[in-house]
Amino acid sequence: NLINRAPSKSHIKALSRSMASGEWVLNGDTIRFDELGSLIDGQHRLLAVIDSGVSITTFVARNMGTDVFKTIDEGKPRGGAAVLSIIQKEYSKELAAALRLVHNSGLSSGWTGWQRKGSDKLSNTQMVDIFYEHPDIVTSVHEIMTGERKVTRRFLTASTAVFIHYWLSRIDTIDCARFFEWIEYGE
């Protein structure tokens, strides 16, 4: 591994968690070596294998031209919002950000304070799983992104407003509605 960028510890940890939890799937991405035997693509995946202690199945491409390196990773990565847009067409970006807050809050296991670091990266699989665990969050997305609650977004980010609405509506829908009315009217 002579010419790769510096490894990203957070990316390695995210991949490692995915591998350790069994979420990792063979998707066609390859580990690539050039014609001199140097690794030119796959360092984060390989370091994650070491970190996780889990074996994975992957494809390996050897004898790639040394000029190939400059063309690797030019595509736009598909993030959680893009994956969610297939399931939930509207406001997938705001939904993805709110689901990260749901994940980080520990809301799924009952509120016990923030459970995870805000920098923990969710895999697309985790994002979809959290969505299916909390399908009613779509109601909060629509409540905040359309209609009377648009003013709320002047005071809170959309994802924070969606998360708060979802959290409070699970406790008491009437009090939740009152809370957001008070924000709307500055009370």
Side-chain angles (χ1 to χ4, degrees):
N1 188 13
L2 304 172
I3 58 172
N4 258 307
R5 59 192 161 183
S8 163
K9 289 180 183 177
S10 63
H11 187 54
I12 292 166
K13 279 292 178 198
L15 293 174
S16 177
R17 280 192 304 273
S18 177
M19 291 172 184
S21 69
E23 293 176 1
W24 186 263
V25 295
L26 180 64
N27 66 1
D29 287 347
T30 58
I31 304 295
R32 299 178 222 185
F33 294 91
D34 69 16
E35 57 204 358
L36 302 174
S38 295
L39 178 69
I40 59 172
D41 187 32
Q43 74 168 339
H44 286 93
R45 283 169 278 160
L46 292 172
L47 290 168
V49 166
I50 294 166
D51 186 65
S52 69
V54 174
S55 297
I56 63 166
T57 300
T58 190
F59 295 104
V60 177
R62 297 181 187 280
N63 298 318
M64 307 294 294
T66 52
D67 60 336
V68 169
F69 181 76
K70 64 185 172 213
T71 66
I72 295 172
D73 293 333
E74 286 188 328
K76 184 176 184 221
R78 184 176 293 123
V83 172
L84 287 171
S85 71
I86 296 166
I87 301 166
Q88 177 63 36
K89 302 277 185 222
E90 293 182 310
Y91 308 112
S92 60
K93 185 173 100 174
E94 293 80 6
L95 174 61
L99 287 171
R100 278 186 210 92
L101 292 172
V102 167
H103 171 73
N104 289 342
S105 73
L107 191 59
S108 300
S109 57
W111 175 256
T112 58
W114 291 94
Q115 302 292 310
R116 296 164 183 87
K117 295 181 213 166
S119 62
D120 281 356
K121 182 179 176 187
L122 289 175
S123 68
N124 291 344
T125 301
Q126 289 171 313
M127 184 69 70
V128 171
D129 288 349
I130 293 167
F131 173 74
Y132 284 132
E133 191 178 331
H134 299 274
D136 294 341
I137 198 168
V138 171
T139 302
S140 295
V141 170
H142 286 284
E143 181 70 23
I144 297 301
M145 299 307 294
T146 62
E148 297 174 11
R149 301 294 173 239
K150 287 174 151 181
V151 175
T152 299
R153 294 193 333 253
R154 287 188 212 156
F155 307 107
L156 300 168
T157 63
S159 59
T160 301
V162 169
F163 171 72
I164 291 170
H165 186 278
Y166 178 61
W167 184 20
L168 293 178
S169 67
R170 289 172 49 129
I171 298 167
D172 187 312
T173 55
I174 294 170
D175 281 348
C176 177
R178 258 190 226 125
F179 175 79
F180 280 94
E181 281 178 23
W182 292 339
I183 289 177
E184 295 288 321
Y185 298 110
E187 294 182 25

